[in-house]
Amino acid sequence: MLSAELGYGATDCTIEIDSNIPVAKGYASSTADILATAQLCIRSRHPETPEPVVHALALSVARQLEYGDYLLHPGVAACAQRSHRLLTAYRTDLRWTLVGVDEGGWVRTEEFHQESPEDLGKARVYAELFAQLDTALRADDYAAAAEVASRSAELHNDRLPKKSLEDLRRIQRDLGALGVCIAHSGTLAGLIFSRHQPDHDLRVRECRSELESCGYSAETFTLKEAQR
């Protein structure tokens, strides 16, 4: 593939990937590896190539393996994965903080999707949820966007159940979290807060404490956003 598109021979180089992204957990580790490798090869062979062209060429390679346009945008992006189209790159001010847990084990994404055929009834509901999410993101409605995430998590739970979901729901009610979020093909689940909320830091600290008292190892993540 690299030979055809970039002029590399099969033995021209050896690439070692040193990544801090956990594998098979829902962090898009394989997509990140593919895009990083493609960009490295382009820059190595053609260092004068402008950044937008590097991105375009990397995506042309990656799309033959796995869709990943969203990883090349600094904020939230919506993509049509099967048709390999970027729908919208949003500029938002959600100020989300995610307090997450890893339930253990792993999910083999390709095998998972092969074993879980598309549910047309659910697809229609997801289309409605996406329309609501699009509206919320354009309006910077951080609470409405989190509600959509919660509904999506609930809808998906019969396909890849999250054992922490009941605990997350309880903590959400107790601490005023905005919503529940999950990796739909991963082992991650968590709660959504926003720095727009009063006492944000206290809520996050108490959430971590509650999760750890339930036996989970909690981590805190912030949403990388492209500002308006």
Side-chain angles (χ1 to χ4, degrees):
M1 186 181 305
L2 288 173
S3 175
E5 300 210 19
L6 303 177
Y8 274 97
T11 59
D12 277 0
C13 61
T14 299
I15 296 172
E16 295 183 7
I17 296 175
D18 182 11
S19 173
N20 64 353
I21 305 175
V23 175
K25 295 290 189 180
Y27 285 103
S29 59
S30 58
T31 309
D33 288 350
I34 291 167
L35 284 169
T37 300
Q39 290 183 85
L40 170 66
C41 291
I42 295 164
R43 292 190 176 104
S44 173
R45 196 74 163 191
H46 306 285
E48 74 288 351
T49 305
E51 194 69 16
V53 177
V54 171
H55 282 193
L57 288 172
L59 288 170
S60 73
V61 172
R63 284 170 177 168
Q64 299 179 47
L65 301 171
E66 191 169 336
Y67 187 78
D69 274 27
Y70 56 91
L71 290 183
L72 294 182
H73 292 275
V76 180
C79 302
Q81 189 163 2
R82 293 186 179 180
S83 60
H84 300 301
R85 289 187 301 116
L86 174 69
L87 300 177
T88 309
Y90 297 95
R91 294 184 177 276
T92 58
D93 188 33
L94 304 178
R95 306 186 196 179
W96 276 5
T97 298
L98 310 179
V99 183
V101 298
D102 177 4
E103 297 192 342
W106 56 81
V107 175
R108 304 294 187 190
T109 307
E110 185 175 357
E111 295 172 10
F112 169 72
H113 287 300
Q114 289 174 347
E115 295 167 359
S116 302
E118 184 178 6
D119 183 325
L120 295 179
K122 280 190 175 182
R124 286 190 288 270
V125 179
Y126 278 121
E128 294 171 2
L129 290 178
F130 175 71
Q132 295 171 21
L133 180 62
D134 178 74
T135 299
L137 292 175
R138 293 179 187 278
D140 281 333
D141 192 334
Y142 60 90
E147 289 175 6
V148 172
S150 290
R151 293 177 61 192
S152 180
E154 297 279 354
L155 187 63
H156 192 66
N157 202 52
D158 64 343
R159 182 156 295 192
L160 185 61
K162 295 293 189 286
K163 62 187 179 183
S164 62
L165 192 58
E166 286 302 318
D167 289 327
L168 292 171
R169 288 192 190 106
R170 176 183 58 79
I171 296 171
Q172 179 187 6
R173 292 191 297 268
D174 291 347
L175 298 181
L178 298 172
V180 176
C181 57
I182 64 166
H184 282 63
S185 58
T187 63
L188 305 171
L191 290 163
I192 303 170
F193 298 88
S194 171
R195 292 192 301 280
H196 287 291
Q197 290 178 281
D199 302 324
H200 162 273
D201 292 350
L202 177 61
R203 293 174 197 258
V204 169
R205 285 197 302 271
E206 290 184 348
C207 181
R208 288 182 61 103
S209 178
E210 282 289 319
L211 287 169
E212 288 167 2
S213 72
C214 294
Y216 304 106
S217 178
E219 293 187 68
T220 302
F221 307 89
T222 55
L223 181 67
K224 186 176 182 180
E225 299 186 82
Q227 296 296 320
R228 293 183 185 278

